[in-house]
Amino acid sequence: MVFAYQFDVAGVMVILTSLICAWIRPRLIKNFSIYLKLLIVLAILYNVLDIITSVLIQIANPRTYYVTYFLLICYFVVLFMVPYRATLYFYELCGEKGKSILLRVPLLIMLFLGTVGNIFFDFFFKLDKETMIYSHGVGLYVTFFYYIVCAFSVGDCALKHKRYLGGIRLRLLLAIFFITIIDVVYQIFLPQQSLTGLVIALSVAMAVVVFCFIDVTDDELTGLNNRVGFIRSCDELMHKQDMTGYSMIKIQVYHMQELNERTGMDNGDKVLLMLAKNVKYCADIAKRKAICGRIGGDTFAILTDSEVSINALAKTTESEVVQNSLTGSDYVVSFYAGGYRLTEGDTDIDSMLDHAGYALKWVSGNFKTNVAFYENEIRHEDEHRKTVEHKVRTAITEKEFKVYLQPVYNSMTRERVSAEALVRWIDSKNQMINPGDFIPILEKNGFITELDLYILDEVCRMLRNWQDQGISIVPVSVNFSRVDVDHPSIVDDIVATVDKYGLDHSFIKIELTESAFNDNMSRIINVLQRLHDLGFPIMMDDFGSGYSNLNMFKDMPVDIVKIDMYFLRNIENSEKGMIVLESVVHMAKRLGLQIVVEGVETQQQYDYIRKLRCEMIQGYYFAKPMPSEIFPDQVTAG
Ligand code: C2E
Ligand code: MG
Ligand code: MG
């Protein structure tokens, strides 16, 4: 009876573990499969019955005979149910179904013997009516045998599905297998001192803790796979069957953060749950097995073979309306999906998700459609991006980036007054890559800052050389990207580079494109103000190409505006265009800004600009960007 008290501890352990887990991860516990929930209940029940029957036998009151007898029967029923339920649960975990019949037949026989049978032939135990002394029947050994059968089924299943289970689950299952075997052997030799309660409690508590904290593969909110679970299930499926015809689909709620902010987190969750339902539906109706999951906050994924399900998905991506719980106003929610069709030899799930993700990103800025596959144009673009990213790492050390200079002229005197540094990438195959083809990519991966500082360094070195050779120099403007402004040490880096060559700061103009001025204004003002105070002229490039607020000139430390070349296109035939350009020039002049007009290609355009009295001109009409070496020879325009 000493051991009975150990079981109390065991019973309390499983109750406490489950309660703590339910408290910390309520949603995860809720999403536990029915098998695991039953197992927890049975483990608790087993230990409760164990305590009560021990106490009743100890009291040895013949008046409680029938109650004790009944509770002992319950105890044995639960004793068989635990391994049965546990094994079914582990089968489910491994994705094996349909094997339960093998376990069910012996279970039914034992249930019969344990309940009805026991009354006739003391199969499991004998309870003396007078002394209340209890002894084991042969059935107990049969139960142990059943435990062994179940433990072996679990062990076998675990080994067969090693991949799918992952290291932690596999170790858990093997630990349970060995503990069970040791327990059974122990019981055979010391039948009076059962440790089964402890073993059951330990196993179930371990499983609950593992599935709640260590190896979480379910998403708390939706109950679908999380990223780990999704990748693991896909991996398992891919090792089991031929994947021809399958596609990886990634689905995302458009602007989830905004949705949360505007309609509240609860509404956000509702949208996610609704999408989860659709995603699950798409997976369920697939012809062959499909896997789905929520792999990120607002992102779902499905690995499916069915075109039907892809179409169904397209349906779910139609806009839905959610109501703002506070204001009652409606908010239209849209979803986007990107897909990747698997090809032979595809095994890397991360790269499938990457491809689908690229298609998704592509489509999320597109208003015509909300589903796209990683094919044709999209694949092309992505492959180009990857080659650029790959090649750019060595391009600086190999000196593949060259500085071209395009002169800027005084519109009246046609004298060269300045120049713009424009980067050219001449790769190892001697092919020239235009900035438009690689700058957006470098802006995305952050490499642009390194490149811009390199160009600045080259420009400064060149100016220093010319100055040393007695060649008269003009200020050169260097393009900086919006991304550079966010670089924490950008001002110091620029100053250090220019000072390294002992150049006067007024020789380097800082060019920043107009669209950069739209976001995080305070940061931009701060950076530009510091550069301006250090003596660098500040130039707003491509003015008029974006939608900037003219009002911002009040606060911006800008010295020069460069009017975008698109203003000049067809200007001769467009009266409205002229009016706009004239008022922009007028305003800039009143604000005391210098003006450069870029993209001047014809004599008419030149005449017109001169009439407007804009000081500076840059364009193919005078000179195209040229290799910096030949720049000193081209002193005047035309
Ligand atoms: P941007 O700064 O507005 O540069 C002017 C672009 O217009 C240059 O194209 C130039 O070659 C072109 N251009 C000049 N005059 C004419 C003309 O009369 N007609 C036409 N059609 N085009 C003219 P490019 O060199 O291809 O540069 C494109 C853009 O790439 C630049 O626009 C700038 O935003 C960016 N960029 C170039 N070099 C750098 C750099 O070193 N760093 C950064 N961050 N961006 C750069
Ligand atoms: Mg520029
Ligand atoms: Mg420009």
Side-chain angles (χ1 to χ4, degrees), residues 420 479 511 541-542 562 564-565 598:
E420 175 174 12
N479 288 285
E511 247 186 67
D541 198 1
D542 308 322
K562 195 183 250 190
D564 196 70
M565 63 183 78
E598 71 178 337

Side-chain angles (χ1 to χ4, degrees), residues 273-529:
L273 284 168
M274 177 182 76
L275 188 53
K277 217 172 82 196
N278 285 335
V279 162
K280 181 144 187 351
Y281 171 74
C282 290
D284 288 345
I285 59 169
K287 281 181 243 128
R288 286 183 285 165
K289 188 174 163 62
I291 314 275
C292 65
R294 181 162 81 123
I295 58 168
D298 57 355
T299 314
F300 292 80
I302 317 181
L303 181 67
T304 178
D305 74 323
S306 190
E307 283 296 327
V308 180
S309 69
I310 293 166
N311 293 339
L313 183 84
K315 214 175 107 225
T316 73
T317 60
E318 277 164 20
S319 299
E320 306 264 347
V321 175
V322 212
Q323 223 181 39
N324 184 335
S325 51
L326 295 172
T327 62
S329 59
D330 290 342
Y331 185 85
V332 179
V333 188
S334 19
F335 307 112
Y336 287 94
Y340 169 70
R341 293 198 169 93
L342 270 61
T343 51
E344 223 183 306
D346 268 333
T347 51
D348 186 356
I349 296 157
D350 278 326
S351 88
M352 292 173 202
L353 282 170
D354 270 3
H355 291 338
Y358 193 83
L360 178 99
K361 244 195 234 151
W362 188 89
V363 86
S364 64
N366 190 315
F367 291 98
K368 282 196 216 120
T369 168
N370 45 16
V371 184
F373 274 83
Y374 186 80
E375 277 157 356
N376 312 328
E377 186 191 344
I378 301 180
R379 173 186 282 273
H380 233 80
E381 223 180 79
D382 191 36
E383 280 167 358
H384 171 69
R385 172 184 66 97
K386 282 191 189 125
T387 358
V388 166
E389 285 188 343
H390 178 73
K391 284 204 301 192
V392 80
R393 298 195 189 282
T394 49
I396 283 198
T397 43
E398 298 295 320
K399 294 205 169 291
E400 287 174 13
F401 290 113
K402 301 270 182 260
V403 176
Y404 271 50
L405 290 174
Q406 187 178 25
V408 176
Y409 297 93
N410 179 312
S411 54
M412 296 301 153
T413 62
R414 296 169 75 107
E415 203 187 334
R416 195 173 67 184
V417 286
S418 171
E420 175 174 12
L422 294 159
V423 63
R424 294 290 178 267
W425 182 357
I426 296 153
D427 72 3
S428 50
K429 289 181 200 135
N430 229 8
Q431 278 168 338
M432 189 189 287
I433 312 172
N434 279 318
D437 288 337
F438 62 88
I439 284 186
I441 298 168
L442 304 191
E443 282 180 331
K444 276 202 190 111
N445 72 9
F447 193 80
I448 189 73
T449 308
E450 199 173 321
L451 175 68
D452 285 345
L453 289 170
Y454 172 79
I455 297 294
L456 175 68
D457 194 282
E458 288 289 290
V459 167
C460 294
R461 195 154 52 94
M462 186 180 74
L463 289 177
R464 174 82 268 159
N465 274 343
W466 288 341
Q467 229 174 13
D468 291 348
Q469 290 167 31
I471 301 172
S472 80
I473 58 170
V474 288
V476 175
S477 62
V478 178
N479 288 285
F480 284 89
S481 153
R482 166 73 191 87
V483 180
D484 300 333
V485 178
D486 287 330
H487 199 268
S489 61
I490 190 70
V491 175
D492 297 338
D493 293 342
I494 292 176
V495 174
T497 311
V498 180
D499 288 352
K500 193 165 78 182
Y501 295 96
L503 276 177
D504 194 283
H505 292 181
S506 61
F507 278 111
I508 300 295
K509 296 180 184 171
I510 308 290
E511 247 186 67
L512 199 64
T513 185
E514 183 211 55
S515 57
F517 288 75
N518 286 334
D519 54 62
N520 198 356
M521 293 277 274
S522 57
R523 169 87 193 149
I524 295 166
I525 294 179
N526 177 285
V527 167
L528 293 184
Q529 189 67 56

